[in-house]
């Protein structure tokens, strides 16, 4: 298992920094966010240190979403967001993969997202489609 002695999330997993643990498996750890967007905002992190999701082994990823589902149910929220960021421009602050479970009780509380949709021409979409197919890992 990969750990980084300087990582705040690795320290939480190791019990060196206290947290309000909500759920734990041999591969994942879930806890209440101390800087929440809304009541019940929590995090699910793998017990494997990887900065970005594509660096995380698949078996750790497979463990995370069922836990996120449990957390979403536990909040009782009818609406919620599951958020996972990779890199500074994508709003990642802690360099350890983490999934946010954020209840959305109102338009003002919870995650606020802009969605800058575009309408590229069909030819451009076709070129992007072909590039993605060629680059898809087997």
């Amino acid at each position: 298992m990969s750990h980084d002695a300087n990582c705040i999330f690795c320290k939480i997993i190791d019990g060196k920094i206290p947290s309000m643990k909500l759920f734990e498996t041999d591969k994942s750890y879930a806890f209440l966010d101390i800087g929440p967007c809304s009541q019940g905002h929590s995090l699910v992190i793998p017990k494997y240190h990887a900065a970005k999701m594509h660096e995380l082994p698949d078996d750790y990823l497979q463990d995370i979403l069922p836990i996120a589902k449990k957390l979403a149910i536990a909040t009782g929220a009818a609406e919620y967001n599951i958020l996972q960021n990779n890199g500074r421009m994508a709003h990642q602050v802690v360099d350890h993969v983490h999934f946010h479970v954020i209840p959305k009780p109102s338009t003002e509380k919870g995650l606020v997202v802009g969605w800058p949709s575009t309408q590229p021409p069909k030819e451009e979409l076709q070129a992007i489609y072909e590039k993605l197919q060629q680059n898809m890992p087997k």
Side-chain angles (χ1 to χ4, degrees):
M1 190 176 320
S2 172
H3 263 54
D4 179 337
N6 297 315
C7 172
I8 189 168
F9 287 171
C10 288
K11 289 177 182 178
I12 287 172
I13 291 165
D14 291 340
K16 294 177 181 169
I17 293 177
S19 68
M20 294 181 181
K21 180 173 69 170
L22 293 166
F23 197 83
E24 183 175 14
T25 67
D26 61 335
K27 290 187 165 72
S28 301
Y29 190 91
F31 57 101
L32 203 59
D33 193 308
I34 61 169
C37 292
S38 61
Q39 282 189 348
H41 178 171
S42 56
L43 299 173
V44 186
I45 61 175
K47 290 183 177 180
Y48 182 102
H49 181 81
K52 296 181 179 173
M53 188 181 74
H54 70 274
E55 300 167 345
L56 191 63
D58 287 351
D59 57 331
Y60 285 85
L61 277 174
Q62 291 167 348
D63 199 57
I64 290 171
L65 280 182
I67 296 169
K69 177 181 173 181
K70 289 177 188 302
L71 294 171
I73 292 167
T75 69
E79 299 184 29
Y80 56 91
N81 294 94
I82 305 294
L83 176 67
Q84 200 277 318
N85 303 321
N86 296 278
R88 292 291 176 266
M89 282 197 308
H91 309 287
Q92 183 178 15
V93 176
V94 177
D95 291 329
H96 184 118
V97 173
H98 55 288
F99 287 72
H100 295 263
V101 178
I102 308 169
K104 185 69 175 158
S106 68
T107 54
E108 300 81 27
K109 293 184 180 181
L111 185 63
V112 180
V113 179
W115 201 272
S117 294
T118 62
Q119 295 185 344
K122 188 174 180 183
E123 301 78 29
E124 186 179 329
L125 286 175
Q126 184 65 37
I128 292 166
Y129 170 76
E130 289 171 9
K131 180 181 177 186
L132 290 173
Q133 278 193 320
Q134 289 170 2
N135 293 338
M136 189 70 63
K138 304 294 181 222

